[in-house]
Amino acid sequence: MRVPLSWLRDYVDVQLEPDRLAECLTILGMEVQRVERWGSDWQGVVVGELLAVEKHPRADRLSLTRVRVDDGEPLEIVCGATNIAPGQRVPVALPGAVLPGGRSIERTEKLGFVSNGMLCSGDELHLTGDAEGILILPPETPLGARLTDLYGDWVLDVDVKPNRGDALCLLGVAREVSAATGAQVRLPDTVVDERGVPVADRLAVEIEDTHLCPRFVGRWVSGVRVGPSPDSVQARLLAAGLRPVSNVVDATNYVMLELGKPIHAFDAATVARDAGGRARIVVRPARTGERLETLDHAERELGPETLLIADRSGPLAIAGVMGGAASEVSEATTEVIIESAIFDPVSIRRTAFRYALRSEASLRFEKGQEARLARVGADRVSRLVSAWSGGTVAPGRVDSAPDEPQPGRVAFRPARIRRLLGTDLDAAEQRALLARVGVETEPAAAATPVPVAAQPRPLAVPAAAGEALIAVVPTWRRDLVIEADVAEEIARVAGYDTLPTKTPDTAMPPWRPDPLELRDALRSVLVGAGLTEVVTPALVAPGHAEFAWPVGAADGIAGEERTAGRPIRVTNPLSENRSVLRPGLVASLLDVLAWNERHGRNDVAIFELGKGYAAAPDGTAGEWWRLGFLLAGDVGAATWNQPARPYDTADARGLVELVARIAGLTPPDWTPHRDGSPLHPGRAALASARGAGGTPSLAGLVGELHPDVAAAWDLRASRVLAGELAIARLSGGGRAPTHARPLSRHPAVERDLAVVVAEAVPAGPVAATIRTAAGERLADLRLFDVYRGSPLGPGEKSLAWRLVFESPDGPLAEADIEAAMARVGAALLTGHGGRVRI
Amino acid sequence: MDRETLTAQLRAFRDEALRELAAARGEDALEALDVHYLGRRGGVLSGLMRGIGALPAEDRPAVGAVVNEIRSEVEGALAAARAAARADALAVRLDHEGEDMTAPGRPIARGVPHPIVETVARIAEVFGQFGFVTYEGPEVESDITNFQMLNIPPDHPARDLWDTLYVDLDGGLLRTHTSPGQIRVMHAEQPPIRALLPGRCFRYEAVDASHASEFFQVEGLMVDEGTSMADLRGQLDEFGHAMFGRGRATRFRPGYYPFTEPSVAFDIGCVMCDGSGCPACSRTGWMTILGAGMVHPVVLQYGGIDPERYQGFAFGMGVERIAMLRHGIGDLRLFLENDLRFLEQFR
């Protein structure tokens, strides 16, 4: 809310500098987000006196003026306004001045006459709303004075929190200033000079649902002359951020800003009369099919959820949200009905959302208003309308619920507040602090219920004798309901900065596993292995969500299962590109590759630890963790002593082997995956690895992107390797410790073996055969060469393996190793048609 | 052959051997001289020694002593020559092996961790020192868990604080904050509770330099019988100092959240101007880094905890905000764009 300081001073004395005041309010919980110098864009605008006004010989609509701004030569200025006359004091923008909106004023020639500046309208200065004529300043305005010194102001932009609707007005902010400085609050004058026919004979109000409209106060002003408000009023409204409209409408807006009470004025002539000749207003829900043209000239469909101000012939206004065009106060209006009502906050909020009409008024209604304000606001507006438009206020009010609620009473225990805040403020100090915000206190009787929690889970605890006090809460403070509310009030008036500071010394919680443990371990290892971590949006385009990345046996990894189901869609997406929760990570990684390629970066090695999402058939949401990675371009750039090497599928498999090691699993087994899209049918495989006890603990699909998919993503890279892995404990952490084996005291024995197989025979099954045949003393197996060519036949290849045998319990007998090698040879022959090269 | 002749021959042998050794170049030449002079079978010294047997018995010890003396003298000279030759050879080799030690090293491939995840890890590390345990909650929540159990009933004006993305599941929405995790932890654990809840959050928010529709938060929760606002203040001070330097000013002031009472906004001295006032801090000298407060009694009740016996504090912070202030990042969009030119600045 914008708070012009000069206006605030109507209600409370402010001695503090604006910045200091802003800090005080912020410390008190009324956060001042900005302190603005209002009128700082009137630089170069000074007060001048018109010496002469003559017709321009060549343009009927222009005048030639001479203006005195100081003791020097008068300035000749060409002006297009008609409301000027010699002797008037007016704002003069001198050459070089820059007006609001960035309009700069220069010496110009207009039809043969030089204009040395410009006379300004109120609108051009954003000082009043009048764009018709030049702003005529009071005759006593000092000549030559800078306008910014005369009318400039400080405006505080206060962020009033949703629970403090009472402070969404100048009077409310003044109360906070009072709490901070001790200065007395001055209330606006609400005394009304009433004359003529009583309102009861002119206006009748009928409330259909008192829950939706607990109070309606109506007043009547006769004989108004609608026109502009006084310049000072317009200046205040503009500084506070509202456009001046007319003296009647401005009075309602003025009171809304002053007291926080939204009020509506109707042209009484447009309201249908009842049999007794009275204007008769009904507050009722709209009927299906009813329509209303609102003030913004939009035709609105109404329905039973919308509360209306209506008359016999139909809707007049949407209650609390926006008036109707037909009953709007206009220049022809002479009789005005003032509506100052209380509406159900929820109903107003819903209606404002339904019509996308959240206004200054509806915002205040939504936060709830004290019933008393309906009366005070009606009186205040009537007084101002009468003062600014010359009307007469009819005696009395039409009031649907004249009984006003008593102040609330909230019991609290000073000792409990000390425990909550960690302070040693005693009861007397607490009472003194509350008194500064108008909260009086009195002793509570024994067994008075102390409200610990309120709706929707209320809890009250009976106070022991002498333990509690009653806080008597001013009617406008609807936010003080439970003991903790009182605690906050005490703390904020004392100043949060006065609270003690200590590190917690209460009991520590028991140990719990860190859910991030495995993810953190993988992160640091993968980063060390040259991959950069990325974090990509979980919301993706529908096409991305359909990007299939079958992860094979992933659903068999206990605790890491993917939810089988449809994608989860956002029903109110910001854009179609961010409308579906992704089922996996690889498509997002392709986006990252595409982005980086577009920015000239082709070597990309990245990984992400993120979630996949899906809706299960029972309507619940499933979320699961995955590791995704992508390699494209070269492994590092070429340097003076080593050439660049493109990433290939072996790099991808090596990464999975590394991941399995970090996760404490067996080396992964590979099964070729020939399904084609999204992967190259000859360069894709499913990985699986087991954990302790042979439990499936890693599963995923790894391979080279199918060229068609790469093209669909508009990728430049000739080869893109990608993979997505499900890993046991990725979601839950808690890695089992490594179980160390004793070292053998006997030397290991190495044997090399070359086996010739058909080209189509993959290495993985051959390795599995060797492992099985060699027996448990085989400690390591490594493929160190693959050879094709003479003397091998066409379609043959030789796989060279190094076998390392170890025995923990005794020296290896040569005969045992020979026997093992013989078993391996036989198994390779029967299993793969392989022959051992000698 | 008599004693004198043999002795003279031995001396001549010595003189010649020493001369040859001194003149020899390289280990191979020395090896040849070794064989020539000292070789056990055909060496010159062996040949001379055979003359000893022809001497009278009384002369043999004296000549034997001369032989030993000469042998050790020649052997010593040989060893010294060899050592010198080795040293020369090594010096030559090392001289040839010189490399350009100013050329760049062979790059060791290393990626970088993402600044958001690293910042979460750093936050968890700081609070871990104070006994906070990490938990995680789901990202798809419901109106009940994301709002109602946090004391934000339907149609509450405070709902304006969270523009929400809804999903096509009954009552489902994408969590707007990590705060629903408070309730989950309270159901899973008994006080004393010290919990940290990092995670991804979503809002209906147009993306620009300072707004994101996806972002990360870290929630904290401490509950016990005596956990007070003074504890909160102290805990947040420690955090501010850990993340932004021990000399960093902090400010503890009223805020507003429906799920805390009293509520707190926590500021640090502006990291750009150190508090003197600049555009980055709207000339206030302060930057708000998190919201906090004492857990609202209604929220404790929803968590199954007696609000009369127990009390506690909660806080929530935007990870991006912390990372931006720590690393001087001006645009929130950089985090999810994953431009490697941005990411590779981190370490």
Side-chain angles (χ1 to χ4, degrees):
Chain A
M1 186 184 59
R2 293 172 59 86
V3 177
L5 191 50
S6 66
W7 193 355
L8 181 66
R9 287 194 163 114
D10 278 9
Y11 315 105
V12 68
D13 289 335
V14 179
Q15 312 290 349
L16 300 168
E17 289 299 307
D19 281 344
R20 180 77 192 114
L21 174 66
E23 196 180 340
C24 279
L25 287 171
T26 298
I27 293 288
L28 203 57
M30 294 286 142
E31 186 182 355
V32 178
Q33 295 182 318
R34 223 156 55 97
V35 179
E36 179 189 314
R37 178 71 183 143
W38 176 251
S40 62
D41 44 7
W42 305 331
Q43 298 297 339
V45 182
V46 299
V47 178
E49 186 183 52
L50 283 163
L51 299 177
V53 179
E54 292 161 11
K55 276 264 172 273
H56 190 292
R58 287 162 58 189
D60 284 351
R61 301 179 57 189
L62 292 182
S63 302
L64 304 177
T65 69
R66 278 194 303 132
V67 186
R68 188 162 67 99
V69 297
D70 53 23
D71 296 337
E73 271 299 291
L75 298 172
E76 302 197 326
I77 293 176
V78 181
C79 178
T82 54
N83 69 328
I84 46 176
Q88 289 171 340
R89 302 229 156 165
V90 291
V92 182
L94 301 173
V98 180
L99 298 186
R103 178 175 176 193
S104 41
I105 304 303
E106 303 298 341
R107 178 173 290 111
T108 55
E109 199 191 287
K110 286 179 179 163
L111 299 173
F113 289 85
V114 170
S115 185
N116 295 294
M118 188 181 87
L119 308 185
C120 303
S121 73
D123 185 62
E124 282 162 337
L125 295 170
H126 287 193
L127 182 57
T128 73
D130 185 6
E132 295 299 308
I134 299 304
L135 179 65
I136 310 300
L137 301 171
E140 68 276 11
T141 313
L143 200 64
R146 302 190 319 155
L147 222 66
T148 186
D149 295 337
L150 295 174
Y151 299 103
D153 202 352
W154 292 98
V155 178
L156 277 54
D157 192 353
V158 183
D159 178 27
V160 178
K161 306 300 184 194
N163 64 331
R164 290 299 306 275
D166 66 291
L168 211 50
C169 61
L170 289 146
L171 182 60
V173 174
R175 288 195 186 105
E176 295 294 311
V177 173
S178 164
T181 66
Q184 287 296 307
V185 168
R186 287 183 293 272
L187 295 177
D189 194 344
T190 55
V191 176
V192 182
D193 180 17
E194 301 175 324
R195 274 177 286 155
V197 180
V199 67
D201 296 336
R202 296 170 168 247
L203 176 66
V205 174
E206 181 187 328
I207 315 285
E208 272 194 14
D209 185 338
T210 55
H211 170 72
L212 294 176
C213 178
R215 190 176 192 187
F216 187 115
V217 176
R219 280 231 181 224
W220 189 288
V221 189
S222 302
V224 301
R225 284 185 306 279
V226 176
S229 301
D231 288 343
S232 61
V233 170
Q234 295 190 38
R236 279 186 168 183
L237 290 174
L238 279 163
L242 289 185
R243 292 287 305 172
V245 179
S246 68
N247 45 15
V248 174
V249 175
D250 289 356
T252 63
N253 283 334
Y254 192 92
V255 171
M256 177 174 72
L257 295 179
E258 181 180 55
L259 299 176
K261 180 78 203 82
I263 287 165
H264 191 65
F266 295 92
D267 182 340
T270 66
V271 180
R273 301 303 199 258
D274 64 11
R278 296 181 302 179
R280 187 171 187 83
I281 281 177
V282 185
V283 184
R284 61 163 172 86
R287 291 187 264 277
T288 308
E290 279 189 307
R291 302 170 73 82
L292 175 68
E293 183 190 347
T294 43
L295 280 177
D296 54 0
H297 300 291
E299 184 80 13
R300 308 276 175 183
E301 290 273 358
L302 306 173
E305 297 200 315
T306 301
L307 188 66
L308 291 183
I309 311 295
D311 65 8
R312 194 169 33 126
S313 54
L316 295 170
I318 300 176
V321 176
M322 193 175 261
S327 57
E328 182 182 8
V329 171
S330 69
E331 284 185 8
T333 303
T334 58
E335 305 288 299
V336 171
I337 295 170
I338 306 290
E339 166 229 305
S340 177
I342 307 291
F343 300 114
D344 173 50
V346 171
S347 161
I348 298 295
R349 184 178 162 86
R350 287 184 181 169
T351 301
F353 269 98
R354 195 156 51 243
Y355 297 109
L357 278 177
R358 298 191 77 202
S359 58
E360 292 282 336
S362 74
L363 276 176
R364 286 170 172 82
F365 279 119
E366 279 178 29
K367 292 176 173 59
Q369 301 219 299
E370 56 156 337
R372 190 185 57 91
L373 264 189
R375 167 181 58 82
V376 177
D379 289 0
R380 177 69 176 160
V381 165
S382 305
R383 180 186 168 90
L384 296 182
V385 168
S386 162
W388 297 344
S389 65
T392 308
V393 182
R397 312 176 190 99
V398 171
D399 192 341
S400 71
D403 290 339
E404 291 178 359
Q406 295 301 302
R409 297 167 65 82
V410 179
F412 68 99
R413 296 158 294 178
R416 182 74 179 85
I417 284 174
R418 280 195 291 277
R419 171 154 76 98
L420 188 67
L421 300 181
T423 65
D424 51 9
L425 291 168
D426 63 25
E429 288 167 316
Q430 294 184 20
R431 298 176 80 161
L433 288 164
L434 289 171
R436 283 170 56 186
V437 282
V439 176
E440 297 305 326
T441 44
E442 56 190 55
T448 301
V450 177
V452 172
Q455 292 296 343
R457 296 289 293 268
L459 174 71
V461 175
E467 187 192 23
L469 294 170
I470 302 279
V472 182
V473 181
T475 50
W476 55 86
R477 289 300 303 274
R478 296 162 50 89
D479 60 314
L480 301 184
V481 178
I482 60 172
E483 193 176 43
D485 297 330
V486 177
E488 179 177 74
E489 208 59 15
I490 288 166
R492 79 178 185 100
V493 176
Y496 277 18
D497 272 5
T498 68
L499 288 175
T501 301
K502 68 186 183 70
T503 45
D505 55 4
T506 51
M508 296 277 274
W511 179 88
R512 291 289 180 266
D514 180 0
L516 303 179
E517 186 180 337
L518 178 56
R519 271 174 267 158
D520 280 345
L522 289 171
R523 265 164 30 79
S524 58
V525 169
L526 290 173
V527 161
L531 279 75
T532 289
E533 184 178 27
V534 298
V535 176
T536 59
L539 288 171
V540 297
H544 282 42
E546 286 156 20
F547 180 79
W549 194 266
V551 284
D555 298 335
I557 308 299
E560 308 295 330
E561 293 89 350
R562 177 173 49 145
T563 302
R566 63 173 177 84
I568 298 174
R569 290 179 176 280
V570 173
T571 54
N572 60 331
L574 282 142
S575 77
E576 190 67 5
N577 282 336
R578 298 267 176 267
S579 61
V580 181
L581 281 172
R582 63 182 173 191
L585 303 174
V586 174
S588 302
L589 299 180
L590 292 173
D591 281 347
V592 173
L593 173 60
W595 171 282
N596 279 285
E597 283 188 346
R598 281 200 301 279
H599 291 82
R601 175 64 180 264
N602 298 320
D603 302 332
V604 172
I606 51 175
F607 71 96
E608 179 168 16
L609 286 155
K611 276 182 176 178
Y613 313 77
D618 67 358
T620 58
E623 303 177 20
W624 58 91
W625 282 95
R626 290 291 182 263
L627 167 64
F629 67 86
L630 179 150
L631 308 170
D634 289 339
V635 186
T639 62
W640 62 276
N641 60 352
Q642 74 186 11
R645 176 177 75 74
Y647 280 112
D648 60 27
T649 63
D651 291 306
R653 291 194 301 276
L655 266 180
V656 179
E657 286 162 7
L658 179 65
V659 166
R661 246 184 89 188
I662 301 310
L665 311 177
T666 59
D669 292 326
W670 297 97
T671 310
H673 181 79
R674 304 189 188 284
D675 286 6
S677 182
L679 290 171
H680 187 306
R683 293 180 178 175
L686 292 164
S688 66
R690 291 172 305 283
T695 324
S697 299
L698 178 147
L701 177 59
V702 174
E704 185 175 318
L705 206 62
H706 194 287
D708 289 347
V709 177
W713 242 270
D714 223 3
L715 298 174
R716 236 184 285 162
S718 56
R719 305 181 74 178
V720 178
L721 295 315
E724 184 168 315
L725 305 176
I727 307 165
R729 297 182 181 279
L730 199 57
S731 63
R735 279 198 299 168
T738 299
H739 194 76
R741 283 178 296 122
L743 300 183
S744 173
R745 288 186 293 115
H746 309 287
V749 175
E750 293 183 357
R751 285 297 159 89
D752 290 351
L753 171 91
V755 57
V756 178
V757 292
E759 188 65 61
V761 173
V766 172
T769 300
I770 295 174
R771 278 204 190 89
T772 310
E776 61 182 12
R777 289 187 174 172
L778 182 72
D780 192 23
L781 176 69
R782 188 153 53 87
L783 178 67
F784 68 89
D785 191 35
V786 178
Y787 175 77
R788 297 173 179 88
S790 171
L792 306 183
E796 284 188 333
K797 64 183 175 187
S798 166
L799 305 174
W801 304 87
R802 175 152 300 164
L803 292 77
V804 180
F805 292 93
E806 257 182 32
S807 167
D809 44 10
L812 289 158
E814 186 62 27
D816 289 347
I817 292 173
E818 289 307 326
M821 294 302 286
R823 284 198 306 276
V824 168
L828 289 173
L829 180 61
T830 52
H832 306 285
R835 66 176 195 278
V836 174
R837 290 170 81 199
I838 311 298
Chain B
M1 174 110 36
D2 62 11
R3 176 182 161 183
E4 282 74 27
T5 309
L6 187 55
T7 306
Q9 284 178 352
L10 283 166
R11 298 236 156 87
F13 157 78
R14 180 195 66 187
D15 293 347
E16 181 194 326
L18 292 181
R19 201 167 51 246
E20 287 291 313
L21 285 173
R25 287 286 167 271
E27 287 184 90
D28 291 349
L30 291 171
E31 178 62 29
L33 291 176
D34 188 0
V35 171
H36 175 67
Y37 290 118
L38 301 177
R40 203 161 282 191
R41 300 215 174 155
V44 176
L45 186 57
S46 297
L48 290 173
M49 281 168 67
R50 274 195 291 276
I52 296 177
L55 293 179
E58 68 271 19
D59 288 344
R60 289 178 194 167
V63 175
V66 171
V67 167
N68 286 339
E69 182 195 323
I70 287 173
R71 175 192 291 279
S72 87
E73 193 177 350
V74 172
E75 279 176 350
L78 183 67
R82 277 185 163 142
R86 257 197 305 274
D88 287 349
L90 187 61
V92 167
R93 197 188 100 205
L94 295 184
D95 191 47
H96 278 94
E97 284 174 354
E99 292 180 0
D100 180 357
M101 290 304 288
T102 67
R106 178 172 289 116
I108 294 172
R110 185 181 180 276
V112 283
H114 194 281
I116 288 297
V117 190
E118 275 302 279
T119 303
V120 169
R122 176 80 186 126
I123 293 167
E125 188 184 320
V126 171
F127 283 104
Q129 281 193 11
F130 294 92
F132 283 74
V133 178
T134 300
Y135 298 81
E136 290 181 303
E139 293 165 26
V140 181
E141 290 275 8
S142 68
D143 194 86
I144 292 171
T145 52
N146 192 76
F147 290 123
Q148 296 177 34
M149 289 178 123
L150 292 166
N151 197 33
I152 314 165
D155 300 305
H156 193 281
R159 288 209 174 201
D160 291 354
L161 300 175
W162 303 276
D163 289 321
T164 308
L165 289 166
Y166 295 92
V167 296
D168 57 353
L169 296 171
D170 191 25
L173 50 77
L174 301 180
R175 68 175 172 191
T176 58
H177 44 194
T178 41
S179 307
Q182 290 184 31
I183 302 281
R184 293 177 185 277
V185 169
M186 284 190 269
H187 280 292
E189 305 282 3
Q190 290 297 310
I193 293 170
R194 297 187 189 195
L196 211 64
L197 289 139
R200 188 188 293 256
C201 302
F202 303 80
R203 296 219 183 137
Y204 184 88
E205 187 107 55
V207 175
D208 65 22
S210 48
H211 296 89
S213 58
E214 287 186 42
F215 57 96
F216 289 78
Q217 277 195 345
V218 175
E219 189 86 4
L221 175 71
M222 182 182 296
V223 179
D224 203 355
E225 291 182 1
T227 301
S228 73
M229 207 155 147
D231 292 316
L232 172 60
R233 186 171 180 214
Q235 186 68 72
L236 295 184
D237 272 353
E238 294 297 327
F239 173 69
H241 294 153
M243 297 299 280
F244 298 100
R246 295 187 67 178
R248 182 67 51 191
T250 62
R251 186 167 75 167
F252 198 62
R253 64 180 172 87
Y256 171 71
Y257 303 97
F259 36 90
T260 50
E261 189 71 38
S263 297
V264 171
F266 185 68
D267 303 339
I268 57 167
C270 175
V271 299
M272 308 298 288
C273 66
D274 277 330
S276 57
C278 69
C281 57
S282 303
R283 301 194 303 111
T284 63
W286 296 101
M287 293 180 142
T288 304
I289 60 164
L290 59 83
M294 302 305 292
V295 182
H296 196 284
V298 164
V299 176
L300 288 171
Q301 299 234 82
Y302 276 120
I305 289 176
D306 176 6
E308 175 63 4
R309 177 174 171 196
Y310 292 105
Q311 57 190 37
F313 64 70
F315 56 83
M317 69 186 90
V319 178
E320 287 82 353
R321 169 105 175 132
I322 304 284
M324 288 168 90
L325 295 180
R326 268 168 68 81
H327 300 295
I329 298 165
D331 191 331
L332 196 59
R333 287 169 291 204
L334 288 166
F335 290 117
L336 293 186
E337 271 172 9
N338 297 293
D339 192 314
L340 292 177
R341 293 170 300 173
F342 168 69
L343 293 179
E344 284 172 357
Q345 298 173 57
F346 297 89
R347 50 196 153 82

